[in-house]
Amino acid sequence: MSNGDIFVGEVIGTAILILFGAGVVAAVVLNYSKAKDAGWVVIAFGWGFGVMAGAYTAAPLSGGHLNPAVTLGIAMDTGEWDKVPVYVAGQMVGAMLGAVLCWLVYYAQFEANAEEDISQPTLGVFSTTPAIRRPVANLVTEIIATMGLVLPILAFGLTEGLGESGTAILIVSFLVVGIGLSLGGPTGYAINPARDLGPRIVHALLPIPRKGTSDWGYAWVPVVGPLIGGALSGLVFNAAF
């Protein structure tokens, strides 16, 4: 795969991931959405389907990492680092693009916060926020949850035929749903630095009325935690398998 293919694939795939993922959160939490209050299960499945759509789209071009933690885990296992910056650059650009697209889809709902004089913080549509703000505990949660993603992804590669058939992507999509349902309660399960940081930057820049803070004091947790989790996954996989 060329650097150009990798970059384009990761931009498109990650944009689709964030469009679906941020989109389902917007659908559930924003006022005047037809899916208002649909609940956590809907959000978990929406993110899982976002992974499926984005990864299947990107796979022919880049392999469909869509996540710096996955890219890091693979590099830690294989020792191949030369394309890591290209992957991460594409993922960040794609995450920001997907966040902008989500804002456009739900533009009227965001505007209703101002028109109806509704005070509704909107960061949760774009990025994660902890249920209980304890940075060390939040960091540990993100590390463990990310290992629950990256280590199985690495192991799936050992099963002959999964990659060629495309079934691995479907399994990873349901894995993301499972992580959301089982481990997402404490922090909102970023498990992906680009997924959190890219949309957080977009949230800070967009002219969203009554949007509240972008919470930069917490922003390091969903970046550092998944990176540590991805790196540990690569090390454990390399040692155990």
Side-chain angles (χ1 to χ4, degrees), residues 17-31 33 43 47 95 98-107 109-110 113 120-129 195-196 199-200 202-203 206 208 211 213:
L17 163 64
I18 299 302
L19 174 61
F20 277 47
V24 72
V25 178
V28 171
V29 305
L30 289 180
N31 294 301
S33 164
I43 290 175
W47 275 105
V100 172
L101 293 175
C102 173
W103 170 65
L104 291 173
V105 170
Y106 284 92
Y107 182 84
Q109 281 69 34
F110 285 117
N113 288 338
Q120 184 183 29
T122 56
L123 178 62
V125 172
F126 295 88
S127 296
T128 60
T129 56
R195 167 266 178 276
D196 195 275
R200 194 181 298 269
V202 168
H203 177 266
L206 285 176
I208 302 171
K211 65 181 177 180
T213 176

Side-chain angles (χ1 to χ4, degrees), residues 91-154:
Q91 291 154 4
M92 281 297 298
V93 172
M96 295 177 71
L97 175 59
V100 172
L101 293 175
C102 173
W103 170 65
L104 291 173
V105 170
Y106 284 92
Y107 182 84
Q109 281 69 34
F110 285 117
E111 287 295 302
N113 288 338
E115 295 172 1
E116 303 295 330
D117 196 29
I118 299 169
S119 180
Q120 184 183 29
T122 56
L123 178 62
V125 172
F126 295 88
S127 296
T128 60
T129 56
I132 300 174
R133 186 176 295 265
R134 293 186 180 176
V136 174
N138 302 148
L139 183 69
V140 170
T141 296
E142 286 293 332
I143 292 170
I144 294 172
T146 305
M147 292 187 72
L149 171 69
V150 179
L151 193 55
I153 287 176
L154 294 173

Side-chain angles (χ1 to χ4, degrees), residues 219-234:
W220 67 274
V221 173
V223 172
V224 175
L227 289 177
I228 294 174
L232 289 175
S233 296

Side-chain angles (χ1 to χ4, degrees), residues 40-49 51 67 69-70 128 138 140-154 156 169-192 195 226 229-230 233:
W40 187 255
V41 174
V42 171
I43 290 175
F45 272 94
W47 275 105
F49 291 143
V51 170
N67 183 342
V70 171
T128 60
N138 302 148
V140 170
T141 296
E142 286 293 332
I143 292 170
I144 294 172
T146 305
M147 292 187 72
L149 171 69
V150 179
L151 193 55
I153 287 176
L154 294 173
F156 293 158
I169 292 175
L170 180 62
I171 295 172
V172 171
S173 303
F174 281 104
L175 174 62
V176 171
V177 174
I179 291 171
L181 294 176
S182 299
L183 307 176
T187 62
Y189 70 115
I191 61 175
N192 181 337
R195 167 266 178 276
S233 296

Side-chain angles (χ1 to χ4, degrees), residues 11 72 79 82 127 226:
V11 168
L72 179 59
D82 57 315
S127 296

